[in-house]
């Protein structure tokens, strides 16, 4: 039961969330909701367009686990002006679902938007209709100029709608200070408080002894990269060039690339002779399997052109892995000399040297201490309590 009262709860309006349309899209928002449910009752509402449904049709899936209730609504949309029709359908269905949720559970104590588009628009309408307060958590890197699909590429109407959502919010809660600065660059003067992404430390934790990891029992350092391996943000082509140089210089490394990969990645590795000899491609794996791969590695590396706060970086730290990553977005807020090395974006020589330095001086990393420090920042209990404090503070205001 919620600690706020018999009928009060947090209504979490999610812009991204796992569904049958995409099993992993927005799973970090689902973990945020799970962490909050340790302290408060949370009802999640997520509406997603499903191309398998005809226009005008919709389906609702409801699930409940302890203090967390999820409503996932699938709707069809199509025909002329498809984008506009989809947005209108989304908002109408959202209002309908909120009426149903209100009938079953009473009015929410507070709304919590995760990702502004389109969930923020629904919150804006509900605030105008019922006077309900809302806060906004944002994860999107699209406020950064380097993002080729960012807010700067959207039309004036979309940018104005973002402005309306932000200016009507009671608090902005970005997952990094840097993304907060980028949002303020667009919309100055907003009240703001940072709460990081969350890690399931039941899965991602330190479970090895020093004898198992240093020096490597097999004589081989196991390096790991986890991402969707998209061309632009993750700079996978730059990674492949550096891995060819690294494996040419050292015979004591093996690399695992975890996640879905385009055919060009496999072809490049095959042409270089590294595929299945020095570099393993796993394809898309489950969240639990990511943890298993991290537990078997010595070092995580990313080489992103731009980022907000990649969850896998936090997960690796909770496993006690030192990390190599680029000095972009919110990454410098969580990586320092005690737990990794930062390199410049697209600086391939720096990445190569970082590999060499990290492996040659691996004993400088205290893996149990890295895991303990990360767990104290990113666990469900810690992040959920931070949100609970924010809720109570804003609920106490008239």
């Amino acid at each position: 039961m919620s600690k706020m009262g018999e009928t009060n709860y947090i209504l979490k309006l999610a812009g991204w969330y796992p569904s049958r349309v995409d099993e992993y899209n927005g799973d970090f928002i689902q973990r945020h909701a799970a962490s909050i449910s340790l302290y408060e009752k949370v009802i999640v509402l997520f509406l997603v367009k499903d191309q398998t449904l005809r226009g005008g049709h919709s389906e609702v899936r409801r699930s409940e686990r302890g203090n967390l209730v999820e409503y996932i609504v699938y709707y069809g949309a199509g025909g002329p002006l498809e984008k506009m029709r989809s947005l209108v359908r989304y908002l109408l269905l959202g209002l309908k679902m909120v009426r149903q949720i209100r009938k079953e559970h009473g009015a929410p104590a507070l709304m919590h938007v995760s990702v502004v588009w389109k969930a923020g628009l629904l919150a804006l309408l509900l605030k105008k209709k019922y006077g309900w307060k809302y806060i906004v958590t944002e994860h999107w890197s699209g406020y950064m100029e380097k993002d080729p699909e960012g807010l700067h590429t959207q039309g004036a109407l979309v940018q104005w709608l973002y402005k309306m959502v932000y200016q009507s919010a009671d608090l902005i809660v970005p997952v990094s200070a840097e993304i907060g600065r980028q949002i303020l660059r667009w919309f100055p003067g907003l009240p703001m408080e940072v709460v990081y992404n969350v890690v399931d430390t039941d899965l991602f934790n330190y479970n090895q002894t020093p004898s198992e990891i240093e020096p490597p029992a097999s004589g081989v350092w196991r390096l790991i990269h986890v991402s969707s391996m998209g061309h632009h943000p993750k700079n996978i082509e730059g990674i492949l060039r550096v891995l060819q140089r690294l494996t040419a210089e050292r015979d004591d490394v093996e690399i695992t690339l975890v996640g879905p990969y385009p055919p060009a990645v496999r072809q490049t590795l095959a042409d270089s002779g590294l595929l299945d000899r020095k570099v393993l491609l796993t394809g898309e794996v489950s969240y639990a399997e990511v943890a298993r791969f991290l537990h078997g590695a010595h070092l995580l590396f990313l080489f992103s052109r731009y980022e907000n706060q990649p969850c896998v970086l936090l997960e690796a730290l909770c496993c006690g892995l030192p990390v190599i990553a680029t000095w972009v977005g919110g990454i410098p807020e969580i990586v320092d000399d005690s737990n990794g090395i930062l390199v410049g974006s697209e600086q391939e020589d720096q990445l190569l040297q970082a590999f060499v330095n990290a492996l040659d001086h691996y004993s400088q990393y205290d893996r149990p201490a890295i895991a303990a420090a990360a767990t104290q920042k990113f666990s469900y209990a810690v992040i959920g309590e931070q949100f609970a404090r924010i809720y109570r503070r804003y609920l106490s205001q008239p």
Side-chain angles (χ1 to χ4, degrees):
M1 180 177 294
S2 170
K3 299 176 181 62
M4 292 184 296
E6 184 69 27
T7 60
N8 286 339
Y9 57 91
I10 303 302
L11 177 59
K12 192 166 185 64
L13 303 175
W16 300 334
Y17 213 69
S19 67
R20 72 186 184 201
V21 175
D22 189 333
E23 184 179 356
Y24 300 109
N25 187 22
D27 55 353
F28 47 88
I29 296 175
Q30 189 174 50
R31 291 192 290 274
H32 258 164
S35 72
I36 295 165
S37 72
L38 296 177
Y39 299 89
E40 308 291 355
K41 181 175 181 179
V42 184
I43 298 180
V44 176
L45 175 60
F46 175 58
L47 299 100
V48 58
K49 182 168 59 177
D50 187 340
Q51 301 290 2
T52 66
L53 293 176
R54 290 181 296 171
H57 288 69
S58 62
E59 297 178 12
V60 180
R61 301 288 175 90
R62 182 189 186 279
S63 63
E64 185 168 354
R65 300 185 304 279
N67 239 9
L68 176 61
V69 182
E70 297 170 322
Y71 290 87
I72 300 179
V73 182
Y74 302 93
Y75 66 93
L81 302 174
E82 194 274 339
K83 285 188 176 181
M84 181 59 69
R85 287 166 60 90
S86 176
L87 177 58
V88 171
R89 182 102 172 104
Y90 174 96
L91 294 174
L92 292 176
L93 271 174
L95 292 172
K96 177 182 177 181
M97 284 302 304
V98 168
R99 287 195 296 270
Q100 177 181 327
I101 292 170
R102 189 183 186 192
K103 183 177 180 180
E104 294 178 8
H105 303 276
L110 186 72
M111 296 184 291
H112 185 169
V113 173
S114 289
V115 183
V116 168
W117 194 263
K118 307 171 187 173
L121 298 178
L122 180 56
L124 181 62
L125 290 177
L126 292 169
K127 184 170 187 176
K128 291 184 178 298
K129 183 176 179 65
Y130 299 115
W132 298 342
K133 296 180 179 181
Y134 69 88
I135 67 173
V136 174
T137 289
E138 186 58 281
H139 309 253
W140 187 40
S141 63
Y143 304 92
M144 302 176 182
E145 292 180 353
K146 280 192 173 183
D147 191 332
E149 298 178 350
L151 188 57
H152 63 279
T153 68
Q154 305 299 311
L157 176 59
V158 171
Q159 293 179 8
W160 179 80
L161 290 172
Y162 269 81
K163 180 180 179 180
M164 293 298 100
V165 170
Y166 274 119
Q167 289 185 342
S168 296
D170 294 273
L171 181 69
I172 313 303
V173 191
V175 296
S176 72
E178 176 58 26
I179 201 65
R181 284 190 286 270
Q182 295 297 326
I183 292 171
L184 289 176
R185 186 173 62 85
W186 279 91
F187 312 110
L190 300 173
M192 190 166 288
E193 184 171 338
V194 175
V195 177
Y196 289 138
N197 275 317
V198 68
V199 176
D200 183 349
T201 51
D202 286 341
L203 285 174
F204 296 89
N205 49 55
Y206 181 76
N207 68 353
Q208 294 174 303
T209 64
S211 63
E212 292 177 298
I213 60 168
E214 185 198 346
S218 64
V220 175
W221 296 103
R222 295 183 297 276
L223 315 180
I224 187 169
H225 170 85
V226 183
S227 79
S228 59
M229 297 188 222
H231 168 76
H232 193 270
K234 301 301 181 182
N235 195 7
I236 188 64
E237 67 276 16
I239 287 175
L240 296 181
R241 287 192 293 268
V242 173
L243 292 183
Q244 291 182 49
R245 295 170 62 186
L246 177 65
T247 53
E249 291 185 15
R250 307 180 62 128
D251 196 44
D252 62 346
V253 294
E254 292 179 353
I255 302 99
T256 302
L257 303 181
V258 179
Y261 55 85
V265 169
R266 183 178 184 86
Q267 189 61 53
T268 298
L269 291 170
D271 292 345
S272 67
L274 296 178
L275 184 64
D276 297 331
R277 184 177 66 86
K278 285 293 184 181
V279 180
L280 170 69
L281 291 169
T282 69
E284 188 170 72
V285 302
S286 70
Y287 189 58
E289 286 176 304
V290 172
R292 180 174 64 83
F293 279 112
L294 288 177
H295 284 145
H298 296 98
L299 178 75
L300 174 89
F301 66 94
L302 300 176
F303 196 45
S304 306
R305 290 185 169 97
Y306 57 90
E307 281 280 10
N308 183 5
Q309 187 190 82
C311 290
V312 71
L313 209 60
L314 314 186
E315 291 157 358
L317 293 174
C318 286
C319 291
L321 286 184
V323 301
I324 296 174
T326 42
W327 194 290
V328 297
I331 292 176
E333 299 169 35
I334 56 177
V335 178
D336 55 34
D337 291 342
S338 71
N339 59 18
I341 300 175
L342 292 172
V343 302
S345 174
E346 302 192 68
Q347 299 301 307
E348 296 179 14
D349 289 345
Q350 290 184 23
L351 178 59
L352 179 62
Q353 191 58 50
F355 280 130
V356 174
N357 290 344
L359 299 182
D360 286 350
H361 303 93
Y362 197 79
S363 61
Q364 70 183 311
Y365 298 114
D366 184 339
R367 289 193 54 176
I370 291 173
T375 300
Q376 290 171 5
K377 293 180 181 178
F378 311 124
S379 69
Y380 275 27
V382 170
I383 298 300
E385 185 177 18
Q386 289 177 19
F387 276 121
R389 286 200 301 266
I390 289 172
Y391 296 153
R392 289 167 189 150
R393 186 171 73 244
Y394 275 80
L395 289 172
S396 68
Q397 297 175 2

